């Protein structure tokens, strides 16, 4: 490896000029969050002082390799090979261009920059989720295709206090303290109670250049959805989602409520998804999924759907990475339960939205909001490439109620443990994530599974204490 002092050019493409321009434009900012996203999608890093920012853009910042080998609680997972197998040495994190932004409402004022991990010689660290997505984007570019996309963010706003039974409950309106226990889906008046919070979310998003758009009241008390504008650069779309989750959580906290990104926080209501809209542009900027005159569907669209259907079962650990993720897959809860596709149909896993053919895209619906957007996008793109390369057929379109037709097509893992085993054995997923991140991710999920499996819960006592 090179001596750290000899690597002077940022492998991420960041430049000191970006930092200098930002500091000149924001003289009041005193500190910065430097944020590296791990396999679970958790932002890990440091808060640095203002005078340290230029040195980070000039020479990166040393961080331990083990930061990418942590479980959901922050504990080391030794089977990742990223802890003592490497001596827990330092690698170097570099800023992600375009992600140096102010943090709205902080006192004293702070900023934020996303980071990506590289070896000391500047080579990409292959267990960094963002760089795994970058690799899939590069592979598509070599085929003359460029992915565009956007994520949807569903989440709950919960009270900081539990109810009388110890369960989480929807937050009171920050405007007047009212609490609703009803499913007020698409209610505009209901949104007004959270208007001060959403105003701050929009202001924070604007400050960070995040194209946050429509907000709706979703299909459960306290559940909301924010949509993001479509990006021609799918890397930026994933960055948008990572940054939006951070700012929603921060603004909710400032208003005295909890933003919850669990896939299924309330057992009697629908969970929260992270639908991923994706299309491919050719080198001339044309949508490769748009059908030609006389075609019902573009062959590339059908092959892409075929690839996603054929790889969905072995990829489910990426889309549903936690124990709680699997509680979301309940019939007629707007979460897909089989590898199906359809047009303008929300009971399928892969939805082709109706509308202008020039905007033709796939809405990938299996992922929960608890999934890592970089890994979701990387896996989806790899599935699309497989479908294109092998000319895979998606099978017949599902019409009507996809839940009723799910059993015949169901090759999906039945639960979290089955998803871990499927992912571990998957040559496709190993190729999609790369062997290093595949090992890291599966090892982390196995460690988390064992933690959950050996835990004796209150439900155990309720069911069995006086009965067996």
């Amino acid at each position: 490896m090179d001596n750290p002092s000899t690597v002077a050019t940022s492998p991420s493409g960041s430049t000191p000029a970006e930092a200098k321009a930002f500091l000149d434009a924001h003289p009041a900012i005193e500190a910065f969050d430097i944020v590296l996203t791990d396999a679970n999608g958790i932002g890990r890093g440091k808060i640095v002082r203002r005078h340290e920012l230029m040195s980070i853009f000039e020479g990166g910042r040393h961080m331990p390799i083990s930061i990418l080998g942590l479980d959901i609680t922050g504990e080391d997972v030794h089977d990742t090979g990223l802890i003592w197998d490497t001596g827990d040495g330092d690698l170097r994190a570099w800023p992600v261009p375009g992600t140096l932004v102010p943090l709205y409402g902080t006192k004293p004022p702070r900023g934020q920059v996303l980071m990506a991990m590289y070896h000391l010689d500047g080579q990409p660290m292959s267990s960094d989720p963002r760089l795994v997505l970058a690799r899939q984007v590069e592979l598509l570019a070599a085929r003359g295709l460029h992915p565009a996309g956007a994520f949807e963010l569903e989440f709950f706003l919960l009270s900081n206090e539990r109810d009388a039974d110890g369960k989480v409950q929807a937050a009171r309106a920050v405007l007047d303290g009212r609490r609703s226990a009803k499913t007020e889906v698409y209610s505009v008046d209901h949104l007004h109670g959270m208007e001060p919070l959403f105003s701050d979310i929009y202001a924070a998003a604007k400050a960070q250049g995040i194209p946050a758009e429509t907000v709706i009241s979703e299909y459960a008390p306290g559940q909301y959805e924010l949509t993001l504008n479509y990006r021609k650069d799918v890397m930026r779309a994933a960055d948008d989602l990572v940054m939006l989750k951070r700012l929603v959580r921060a603004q909710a906290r400032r208003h005295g409520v909890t933003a919850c990104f669990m896939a299924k926080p309330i057992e009697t209501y629908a969970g929260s998804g992270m639908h991923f809209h994706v299309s491919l542009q050719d080198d001339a900027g044309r949508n490769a999924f748009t059908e030609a005159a006389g075609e019902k569907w573009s062959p590339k669209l059908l092959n892409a759907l075929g690839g996603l259907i054929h790889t969905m079962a072995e990829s489910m650990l990426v889309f549903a990475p936690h124990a709680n993720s699997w509680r979301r897959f309940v019939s007629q809860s707007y979460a897909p339960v089989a590898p199906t596709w359809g047009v303008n149909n929300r009971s399928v896993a892969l939805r082709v939205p109706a509308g202008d053919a020039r905007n033709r895209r796939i809405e990938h619906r299996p992922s929960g909001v608890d999934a890592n957007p970089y890994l979701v996008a990387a896996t989806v793109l790899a599935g699309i490439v497989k479908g294109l390369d092998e000319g895979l057929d998606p099978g017949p379109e599902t019409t009507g109620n996809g839940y009723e037709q799910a059993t015949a097509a169901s090759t999906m893992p039945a639960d979290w443990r089955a998803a871990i085993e499927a992912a571990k054995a998957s040559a496709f997923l190993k190729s999609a994530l790369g062997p290093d991140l595949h090992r890291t991710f599966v090892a982390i999920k196995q460690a988390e599974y064992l933690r959950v499996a050996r835990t004796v819960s209150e439900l155990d006592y309720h069911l069995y204490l006086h009965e067996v």
Side-chain angles (χ1 to χ4, degrees), residues 59 92 113 116 135 179 188 223 239 243 250 268 278 301 315 331 369 372 385 424 440 450 460:
R92 196 181 309 195
V113 63
R135 175 175 165 270
R179 190 197 310 276
V188 177
Q223 188 184 34
D239 291 338
M243 295 166 72
T268 52
V278 61
L301 174 66
S315 303
S331 181
V369 74
N372 183 329
V385 167
K424 184 177 182 179
T440 297
L450 291 174
D460 288 300

Side-chain angles (χ1 to χ4, degrees), residues 9 17 50 85 113 142 206 223 244 292 326 339 341 389 424 460:
T9 302
R50 177 184 177 90
D85 291 14
V113 63
K206 182 179 180 180
Q223 188 184 34
L244 184 60
W326 291 84
W341 76 280
D389 286 353
K424 184 177 182 179
D460 288 300

Side-chain angles (χ1 to χ4, degrees), residues 75-225:
E75 295 284 346
D76 290 339
V77 178
H78 295 280
D79 286 345
T80 62
L82 299 179
I83 315 299
W84 299 124
D85 291 14
T86 64
D88 194 16
D90 278 346
L91 298 185
R92 196 181 309 195
W94 289 87
V96 173
T99 65
L100 178 58
V101 293
L103 292 175
Y104 177 82
T106 50
K107 296 179 181 179
R110 292 203 325 277
Q112 171 186 282
V113 63
L114 300 186
M115 308 289 284
M117 189 78 94
Y118 294 83
H119 291 284
L120 299 183
D121 64 359
Q123 292 301 306
M125 200 288 169
S126 49
S127 285
D128 183 317
R130 191 180 190 279
L131 298 182
V132 166
L133 173 55
R135 175 175 165 270
Q136 289 298 330
V137 171
E138 290 168 1
L139 291 173
L140 273 166
R143 292 169 165 82
L145 295 170
H146 310 278
F151 290 89
E152 297 175 7
L153 182 69
E154 295 179 358
F155 59 97
F156 281 80
L157 293 175
L158 301 177
S159 171
N160 293 337
E161 295 77 37
R162 305 288 181 91
D163 67 14
D165 296 321
K167 303 285 189 179
V168 298
Q169 57 185 334
R172 295 183 182 277
V174 299
L175 184 65
D176 57 13
R178 293 173 57 189
R179 190 197 310 276
S180 173
K182 298 182 292 184
T183 300
E184 303 195 62
V185 64
Y186 284 97
S187 169
V188 177
D189 289 345
H190 176 65
L191 293 174
H192 293 170
M194 291 294 180
E195 184 178 20
L197 170 55
F198 281 111
S199 292
D200 281 348
I201 287 172
Y202 281 124
K206 182 179 180 180
Q208 296 187 17
I210 299 172
E213 294 193 329
T214 305
V215 61
I216 65 171
S217 178
E218 262 289 356
Y219 204 65
Q223 188 184 34
Y224 302 88
E225 177 185 284

Side-chain angles (χ1 to χ4, degrees), residues 3 109 150 222 268 281 294 299 324 329 411 450 466:
N3 184 296
T268 52
Q281 314 296 315
N324 180 260
F329 296 105
T411 57
L450 291 174
H466 300 293

